[in-house]
Amino acid sequence: MAQLLILTSQGNADVLPALGLLSHRVRAIAAEPAALVGAPPADAILVDARLDLAGAKGLCKILTATGAGSPIIVVLTEGGLTAVNAEWGVDDVVLDTAGPAEVDARLRLAIGRQTRDAAGSSTIRASGVVIDEASYSAKVHGRTLDLTFKEFELLRFLAAHPSRVFTREQLLSEVWGYDYFGGTRTVDVHVRRLRAKLGDMESLIGTVRNVGYRFTLHEDEPEVSRLQA
């Protein structure tokens, strides 16, 4: 049995009717940034995006940026599925018409992934870059990088596989996931933004012409250091 937090402007029973047939403990609060202050702990957070896609997206980005610590699942109507993309930074989506078996499976998988990732969190150190997977933070020579969720994931993935070249299709699959509907151009856009934030260290993200990208190690640093938390 999981502790669930629903962010909605409607009655929690109306957001995901299938929850009424499950044994999870459910609590609802207003879908407003101010309501997040002092919000109760939860194993998973469900954001109601049925009526206000723009507001729900903003709320999800706030949750991601502040490190919610729980998987974020967006509840949508079928028509709203076309609006969700990687910028939302969520862990999963579910239709408001989903049955109890599907809802329970999605919750179980999302919570399980969160638990597994927390247990395997570590710090990656390479070429002056320090990536803390537990806190989703990154520094270069002591300077904190202000990264979006996907910029962090891209840097983390490349730094965890130094000197290995990845095609745009591989990066799209590994960082954005197979269910991402965008094209490979989004990889180039994020690489460009990431390099801009790295500043003088932009060369760490190397381009292999006609192939893809790689994380470039300094000549005096033969391998990456990864420390388990």
Side-chain angles (χ1 to χ4, degrees):
M1 181 172 61
Q3 189 79 31
L4 307 178
L5 180 65
I6 297 180
L7 305 183
T8 180
S9 57
Q10 309 296 317
N12 64 322
D14 297 329
V15 178
L16 202 53
L19 286 176
L21 301 175
L22 299 171
S23 60
H24 302 301
R25 296 178 180 175
V26 181
R27 180 171 177 180
I29 63 174
E32 301 174 355
L36 298 178
V37 180
D43 297 310
I45 299 173
L46 288 85
V47 178
D48 182 6
R50 297 171 303 157
L51 302 178
D52 185 3
L53 287 168
K57 178 181 179 180
L59 200 58
C60 289
K61 294 176 75 172
I62 291 173
L63 287 167
T64 300
T66 56
S70 302
I72 304 168
I73 301 175
V74 177
V75 181
L76 297 155
T77 61
E78 188 170 357
L81 286 173
T82 58
V84 182
N85 56 36
E87 292 181 358
W88 286 56
V90 300
D91 298 276
D92 202 355
V93 298
V94 63
L95 292 177
D96 59 346
T97 55
E102 179 183 347
V103 171
D104 198 50
R106 290 183 180 277
L107 287 168
R108 187 169 61 251
L109 290 171
I111 295 170
R113 285 193 299 267
Q114 183 82 6
T115 303
R116 179 200 62 197
D117 292 344
S121 64
S122 62
T123 300
I124 301 172
R125 299 177 184 271
S127 299
V129 174
V130 179
I131 300 170
D132 187 340
E133 295 179 312
S135 64
Y136 282 89
S137 63
K139 296 182 179 181
V140 56
H141 292 309
R143 175 174 61 87
T144 299
L145 299 175
D146 182 16
L147 304 178
T148 64
F149 177 75
K150 284 304 177 185
E151 288 168 353
F152 173 86
E153 288 292 295
L154 180 60
L155 178 62
R156 182 194 64 78
F157 180 78
L158 289 172
H161 304 86
S163 301
R164 179 177 170 183
V165 180
F166 292 93
T167 66
R168 291 168 176 81
E169 290 78 11
Q170 287 176 314
L171 290 173
L172 201 63
S173 171
E174 295 290 343
V175 177
W176 279 263
Y178 284 105
D179 57 348
Y180 179 68
F181 295 106
T184 56
R185 185 177 177 276
T186 193
V187 176
D188 298 325
V189 171
H190 279 75
V191 166
R192 183 168 67 249
R193 292 173 179 170
L194 184 54
R195 282 173 170 164
K197 292 180 179 181
L198 285 169
D200 294 340
M201 302 295 290
E202 65 175 353
S203 61
L204 287 176
I205 310 299
T207 300
V208 179
R209 192 169 182 178
N210 298 325
V211 182
Y213 300 102
R214 68 181 174 191
F215 187 91
T216 305
L217 287 175
H218 291 158
E219 293 182 1
D220 58 349
E221 189 173 9
E223 61 183 24
V224 66
S225 169
R226 188 167 189 147
L227 304 175
Q228 289 297 123

